[in-house]
Each structure stands twice: as C-alpha cells, then as structure tokens.
Amino acid sequence: MKKDNRHTFIDLFSGAGGMSYGFEMAGFRPILAIDNWQDALDTYALNNPGIPTLCADLSSLDIEEVAARYRLKDVDLIVGGPPCQGFSVAGKRIVDDVRNRLYKSFVRFVEVCKPRAFVMENVPNILSIGGGCVKESIIGDFSALGYDVNCRVLTASDFGVPQNRRRAIFVGVKKGKFSFPEPYSNERVTASQAISDLPEATLSDGSAYTEPASSKYQEWARMGSAGVYNQEATVHSDRTVRIISLVPDGGNYKDLPLNLQDTRKVHIAWTRLCSTKPSITIDTGHRHYFHYRYNRIPTVRECARIQSFPDRYIFLKSRTSQYKQVGNAVPPLMAKAIAESVNDSLKQEQLCIKSHKSSI
C-alpha cells in the first residue's frame, strides 16, 4: 500500500541519482535504486535518505525475486539508462547481441513490474545507427509488452540546464498519449551564470559562500544548502597552467601556438568553457576542458552546477569518483521536464479511466 499519493518509480542504473532527483522535483517518489557501483549508491543514499538501494549486476539479477522483496507490484514508473555497447553493431538486431544483456534486463524489469510508463535514456546516435534498426528494435521490444513508445533527442540547455548535453529519450505509456516537453524559452543559462560565484581556490566542505549569488540560477542552486561542498580545486603542473593561460574564454587548442597544438591528441583538447554560453557536455573528469576564467579544470561542485545539481546535493568518495558520478548523471532539471510530461500523461490516463467507468 502506498504511503502517499505520489507516483512511484524504480531507478535502474541509477548512478548517483540525477534522474531520480529530477523526478522527485516533479513530485514522483522513488522506491528503489539499483546500480552496480557502490560509490554512486552511497551518494544516492546520502541524498535520498530512507530509499532502498541495491548494488548488483542487473544482468544476473533474479528480477521476480527482487520485485517480491521490494514489493514492486504497483510501481507506476521505471526509469534508467542501460549501457548498450552492442548498439554500435549496425544491421544486427540488438536482441541477438550478448553485450546488450543490460538493456534486456531493463526490458525484463518492465515486463515483470508492469509499470504504467517507463523512461529510458541513452546516447543520441542510438536513434540513427544501423539505419535506424536499433531504434526500431527498442520500440518493438516495448511495443510487444503493450506500450505506446515515443523517442526523441533532447538538449539539456532547453530545460534550464547550463549545458548543451544531448540525450536520446524513449518514453512508453500503457494508456493515453505522451508528448515530449517543449523548450522552456529562447534564453539559456550560461556557464558564468551557473558558477561565477564559486571561488578559484579550494573551500573546505561546509564553508560559507565567499561571494553573493549573481544570477537566478545561482540563487536556485544555493537554496537549502548548508554551505559549499565538493569545491576542491585541482593543482596543475606549471606547464599545464601556462598552456591553459594561453587559451581565451571559449577557445581551444586551435588558439595555441602551433608547437603546442598537438600536445593532446583529442579534438576537445585545451577547451575553455565559454562564459556567455551553456557549457559543453561535462564528462567524467578526463581533464580536457577548463574553467572559462581560472587556469584549472572545473571543480566537482562546478561540474555539478553545470549538470543542474543543487548545492545541497553532496557527492561522496574520492574526487576521481565524484567526477565520474557527476559526469555519468542525467541532468536533474532535464529529468524534471521529462517527468512533468510523464505526469501529464498519467493524469490523462486517470481521466480516461474515470470517464470510462462513469459511462458504464
């Protein structure tokens, strides 16, 4: 029996909880998070007290046993982003590729728990590889379970996230219709509006803010926070600092002298964030992009701000682990926009059921 009237959801491949946090902001209630990385689940548990977490390889789980243990019979929604390495094999049905057993576990969870809806996110090119055969295979798998499936690539900066991160989103509903959220406005939150109030130097966890908030986004990010956490600045070598200093705001390796342009063999090498635009996609800490003003990589807190985690969301474990947790996450504000559209769909379903009953 549900404790309240909020729609419930399971978060598969939850990571540190970006998708969960977005759905919670939209009024949904998590009842279980599953991931195979304990570091991320420890962060999830800290920020979601009382919500059960399960550290396990989903490909080897007895899903019926998990559903019985955690009483998942009446769950409203399943969300998650299964890693699908085999999706790159063009022309071959994903159901035949053993590397996609984690995706098949997501499908199996949906089959066993029979939620009213599901949300699955992945890389954008999942919709185009193999001439679209992968997309059609995914739609076919869920359609066979009775879901009406829609998919679209969404850009996070369209929904208040200060980052141009693009993700493919699949949404399936049992009844009613789902419509993807439309971009909020033509204005985008810039990197400067996201992080300009955070200092160049390290702050001890729980320290007071050293500067006042200078944007509405910063005011939002600070709400409910006891102070600044995860603001440990990286100390680079003198040579690295010198090279970074040669790159202007929004620039990259092409702005360096020719003898320095090949010092890193990746196309995003020595990229400065642009202060007047949303950030490029935050990664897991590979040290290829740098603060628009300071000669260092962004801190974990700055990356979390750019991902749209508020400051009260604290990341645990080593700094390397924290960067990975943040970089792997679904931006919460984008997840919130999706969740609100899912909620609209579920309301339509309830209205259709009431209308049907009243006509009998």
Side-chain angles (χ1 to χ4, degrees):
M1 184 176 180
K2 296 179 183 178
K3 295 181 180 180
D4 56 42
N5 293 324
R6 290 180 294 166
H7 296 306
T8 57
F9 71 93
I10 307 167
D11 193 346
L12 306 179
F13 313 97
S14 66
M19 181 86 88
S20 279
Y21 196 75
F23 272 78
E24 287 185 82
M25 284 192 286
F28 288 72
R29 178 167 64 90
I31 58 174
L32 177 65
I34 305 177
D35 200 272
N36 68 344
W37 189 26
Q38 190 61 54
D39 280 15
L41 288 177
D42 287 348
T43 290
Y44 188 106
L46 175 68
N47 294 282
N48 295 273
I51 306 304
T53 62
L54 175 61
C55 188
D57 179 353
L58 275 86
S59 65
S60 59
L61 273 181
D62 183 332
I63 296 173
E64 286 86 354
E65 188 275 330
V66 171
R69 189 195 329 167
Y70 292 97
R71 301 179 181 180
L72 305 180
K73 182 179 179 181
D74 296 322
V75 66
D76 294 307
L77 185 71
I78 292 179
V79 304
C84 304
Q85 293 87 348
F87 282 3
S88 62
V89 182
K92 183 177 181 181
R93 276 192 58 81
I94 54 176
V95 293
D96 298 325
D97 195 313
V98 295
R99 292 175 296 173
N100 289 320
R101 62 191 184 278
L102 291 173
Y103 158 71
K104 300 305 292 185
S105 297
F106 188 103
V107 175
R108 180 64 177 147
F109 256 97
V110 171
E111 181 180 13
V112 170
C113 296
K114 298 178 175 59
R116 296 162 64 190
F118 73 84
V119 176
M120 190 180 82
E121 62 90 26
N122 218 280
V123 294
N125 70 350
I126 198 172
L127 302 185
S128 59
I129 56 178
C133 72
V134 170
K135 178 184 75 172
E136 295 307 318
S137 292
I138 293 172
I139 292 173
D141 280 347
F142 289 112
S143 295
L145 299 179
Y147 291 87
D148 181 27
V149 184
N150 291 271
C151 59
R152 182 182 295 182
V153 173
L154 299 182
T155 301
S157 58
D158 285 339
F159 306 103
V161 180
Q163 178 186 188
N164 287 323
R165 191 184 194 98
R166 300 173 70 248
R167 300 300 288 177
I169 307 296
F170 290 82
V171 179
V173 294
K174 275 282 190 180
K175 297 179 181 179
K177 296 293 182 180
F178 173 80
S179 297
F180 278 98
E182 294 299 323
Y184 288 167
S185 72
N186 292 325
E187 294 185 7
R188 301 291 181 269
V189 180
T190 68
S192 175
Q193 290 170 335
I195 64 174
S196 66
D197 61 320
L198 296 172
E200 179 177 12
T202 293
L203 290 181
S204 300
D205 281 347
S207 294
Y209 293 95
T210 59
E211 300 288 338
S214 61
S215 70
K216 290 182 179 179
Y217 185 86
Q218 292 171 14
E219 292 173 356
W220 170 83
R222 292 180 177 207
M223 287 178 59
S225 178
V228 184
Y229 291 79
N230 306 121
Q231 179 65 16
E232 182 178 354
T234 295
V235 179
H236 299 285
S237 68
D238 290 342
R239 179 175 181 271
T240 296
V241 170
R242 181 174 64 85
I243 295 175
I244 300 171
S245 70
L246 298 175
V247 180
D249 182 340
N252 58 31
Y253 73 96
K254 295 178 183 179
D255 296 293
L256 294 171
L258 287 175
N259 65 309
L260 295 176
Q261 289 187 8
D262 291 333
T263 51
R264 294 187 178 183
K265 304 293 184 179
V266 291
H267 73 282
I268 59 170
W270 304 109
T271 296
R272 282 261 199 196
L273 301 183
C274 180
S275 63
T276 59
K277 296 179 180 179
S279 168
I280 59 174
T281 299
I282 289 295
D283 63 20
T284 56
H286 293 151
R287 297 179 175 234
H288 295 311
Y289 58 90
F290 301 91
H291 196 286
Y292 60 83
R293 180 194 303 164
Y294 306 133
N295 295 323
R296 58 165 174 76
I297 63 172
T299 64
V300 171
R301 178 50 52 197
E302 288 162 349
C303 290
R305 283 266 192 99
I306 289 169
Q307 277 278 59
S308 74
F309 282 98
D311 292 357
R312 62 182 176 275
Y313 208 98
I314 300 170
F315 294 85
L316 300 178
K317 305 302 179 179
S318 70
R319 188 153 47 120
T320 298
S321 175
Q322 292 170 15
Y323 274 116
K324 184 177 178 181
Q325 291 174 47
V326 173
N328 283 340
V330 176
L333 285 181
M334 184 170 76
K336 177 177 179 284
I338 297 167
E340 289 169 343
S341 290
V342 171
N343 191 45
D344 289 342
S345 180
L346 295 180
K347 286 180 179 178
Q348 291 174 15
E349 174 196 342
Q350 290 172 331
L351 289 174
C352 289
I353 292 173
K354 289 181 180 179
S355 176
H356 176 72
K357 287 182 179 180
S358 65
S359 65
I360 297 176

